[in-house]
Amino acid sequence: MYTERMHEPFFHLRELPGLHWPRAPSGPVAQSWAAYRELDRLQWLSAGEIAAHQLRQLQALLLHCWRNVPYYQPILKAAGYPDRPLASLDDLRRLPFLTRQLYQTHFAELRARTMPAGIVEVGSTHTSGTNGVPIKVLKTNWDCLWWNAFYLRDLEWSGLDPRGRLAAIRLVAMRPEDEPQALAGLEFPGWSELCYDLLESGPAFAMDIRQAPRRQLGWLRQIAPDYLLSQPSMLEHLAGLILDDGYGLPGLKVIQAIGEPLTDDARARIEAAFHAPVKNLYSTNETGYIASTCPAGHGLHVHAENILAEVLDEHDRPCEPGETGRLVYTALHSFLVPLIRYDVLDDVTLGSGPCPCGRGLPLWSKVDGRRHTLFHLPAGGRKSSMGATLGLRKVGGVHQFQIVQRAIDHIVLRVIPNRDWSEHHAAAMRQVMHRELPVPVRVDIERHETLPKPRSGKLRVVVVEMDQPAPCPS
Ligand SMILES: [Zn+2]
């Protein structure tokens, strides 16, 4: 049921010269605004209505795959396509999973030969590779449109008013030459490109996550943000420093936790130190927005207009409400490189029953995904391992890698070389580690056939052995 809301609109449109009333977006941003407004309406549909729309969108995606995507043609044929088209969302289980390894190996065949009218490729990016298998991601104009629309929905749900001051501590410098500026902190007049053209927006500030946590805190106190965005591991570390100092960030209204799972413990510690609520955003580079905190605080709502989520137990059967399982999703607008039953290597816990907030979107109580470990530095210092992970990924020459910090001055890099591997790659990897760790450090490179995985089956790309519990004295 669609409930008309009577409150003031959350966003304030930027004023255009000569156009005071009624104000309406024009030009390219008008489409993003219209898409956001449509999402605003769809969230109030019932769960059944949402599932029916998902099925129709899924049928369109599969028909496209059948006609245009070489990788999926034999898979769909084996599943009885086109004689037995999908009659329900449960039918999707006839199709196999798409793992990151399959995606990497079959990238050329996964790419659609022809695209539906109006969808065009506009660029490419990479996933961060923090799970050891970085993958290339191609973006279309549709991806950008829906990215913008979900960005606006997430801001509204999280209560992040773009007229305020936003501080982000995240990976900012993608190239070594940009690091000095990114470590010092950057200032921008607006929150995003979309805000520049569409919304009234306050300033945004960004600092690279590899800066020393104490320096990060000093910078935050100087800029006095209304909103803070970072990864839970970093926020938890900053929370510890604030509790030590006895004073925090007065005026902070909301914290947004991104890029890593947020445990209940971490949320409690962060909220106690900062005196601000923590909102969780779960997104991936492959697909964009997946789930965001329910505005009424009942867990996370899946952005079901973007993805069809399946949460499966160890026998690949759907989990019951309240159970934790492995997330496998289908990206409903992924027409260029379709992601069908994509195994993202994260676990989620299903919520119970319909959400009291009235939204029909699926409800999760939490996401248990990956965490970016902090390296130990001398004198008790810590540093995010994210830069090292990304740096090694750029070097290439390997199928997978794992960073093990044995001691403050000793790193072991375990690699599964690919056919391009050479001593040049080994030297470049050592260089990355020497750059990322500001102390003389011994870097050993070990070549492996496979890498050890814990029982969860998820490879931990960064292992800090100094964090492991000491063996019991015998
Ligand atoms: Zn809700």
Side-chain angles (χ1 to χ4, degrees), residues 45-58 89 304 308 360:
L45 296 182
S46 70
E49 288 169 319
I50 289 171
H53 285 304
Q54 284 186 311
L55 179 61
R56 287 190 63 188
Q57 179 65 27
L58 182 64
L89 291 179
L308 171 63

Side-chain angles (χ1 to χ4, degrees), residues 10 21 30 46 51 59 61 68 73 85 116-117 123 129 176 217 251 270 303 312 336 360-361 370 376 400 429 452 461:
F10 182 78
W21 186 84
S46 70
Q59 284 163 336
L61 179 66
N68 303 306
Q73 283 158 352
L217 192 55
I270 297 164
H303 298 296
L312 305 173
L336 183 52
L361 300 168
R370 307 173 290 270
H376 284 272
Q400 277 191 322
M429 286 190 157
V461 171

Side-chain angles (χ1 to χ4, degrees), residues 383-424:
K383 182 179 182 183
S384 169
S385 60
M386 210 175 163
T389 312
L390 290 181
L392 293 182
R393 196 246 303 145
K394 277 191 189 157
V395 169
V398 296
H399 292 296
Q400 277 191 322
F401 63 83
Q402 186 177 45
I403 309 170
V404 183
Q405 187 177 30
R406 288 256 156 91
I408 281 183
D409 57 356
H410 186 198
I411 293 285
V412 174
L413 296 180
R414 295 177 179 146
V415 299
I416 304 178
N418 66 19
R419 61 181 173 200
D420 301 330
W421 174 260
S422 69
E423 270 314 300
H424 161 77

Side-chain angles (χ1 to χ4, degrees), residues 346-360:
D346 286 335
D347 288 346
V348 303
T349 303
L350 289 173
S352 307
C355 188
C357 76
R359 287 174 179 78

